[in-house]
Amino acid sequence: VGIIKWFLQLAKGCLKINNFNTIMAILGGLNMAPIQRLKKTWKALPKKSHDEMEQLEKLMETKCNFSEYRRALKLATRPVLPYFGIFLRDITFADDGNPDWIDNGRVNFEKLTILASILKDIQFYQQQNYT
């Protein structure tokens, strides 16, 4: 119980300093099957800890293309350590979901604009050191 509470406190601290990548890593670890099978441990966890876990999971849930996380990311003050997996996902969908060439044999500049926008977002978060 103490270890799970410690990780939830760590995740809350990461939220305060806008470290979304570590929050996702902590949630990933806590939601692994071997940890979730610890039924007695989870039942012994205080309601406050369950509420904190629920709040963090709601923030980072995949529903509506991570809409809650994306909203929190836009509102966060810098420095911010975003969850990098979202950028990789966006790049993959933009690349796979749009043809390289349009019907008349020309380069699909709309696809390139989408990819450039994603890369610009990545560069935005790299401009300020996170210490």
Side-chain angles (χ1 to χ4, degrees):
V1 173
I3 300 289
I4 292 175
K5 284 173 61 176
W6 184 83
F7 274 109
L8 289 172
Q9 289 301 314
L10 180 62
K12 276 182 54 180
C14 289
L15 183 57
K16 288 179 183 173
I17 60 171
N18 298 321
N19 185 341
F20 296 103
N21 197 65
T22 302
I23 293 171
M24 187 62 101
I26 292 169
L27 289 176
L30 291 175
N31 284 312
M32 290 182 68
I35 305 302
Q36 286 296 309
R37 279 194 301 253
L38 301 170
K39 300 294 182 193
K40 291 179 183 175
T41 304
W42 285 102
K43 282 184 181 179
L45 209 60
K47 182 178 178 353
K48 179 182 176 189
S49 296
H50 281 284
D51 292 344
E52 290 169 352
M53 177 84 167
E54 189 177 303
Q55 176 192 13
L56 291 167
E57 285 179 329
K58 184 179 181 213
L59 172 67
M60 301 305 287
E61 71 184 345
T62 60
K63 192 181 349 177
C64 297
N65 196 18
F66 292 87
S67 63
E68 289 294 322
Y69 162 71
R70 290 179 191 268
R71 185 176 4 265
L73 184 62
K74 283 184 180 179
L75 296 174
T77 56
R78 289 174 52 196
V80 175
L81 185 58
Y83 172 54
F84 194 70
I86 297 292
F87 294 116
L88 297 177
R89 179 181 175 198
D90 291 347
I91 289 171
T92 300
F93 277 105
D95 188 42
D96 291 348
N98 296 290
D100 294 333
W101 307 95
I102 51 179
D103 294 336
N104 56 10
R106 295 184 186 163
V107 173
N108 186 352
F109 282 104
E110 185 176 341
K111 173 182 178 175
L112 297 176
T113 303
I114 293 168
L115 290 170
S117 173
I118 298 166
L119 294 175
K120 184 179 174 185
D121 288 343
I122 294 171
Q123 287 179 326
F124 172 78
Y125 293 110
Q126 290 177 331
Q127 288 176 355
Q128 187 169 1
N129 291 337
Y130 190 90
T131 55

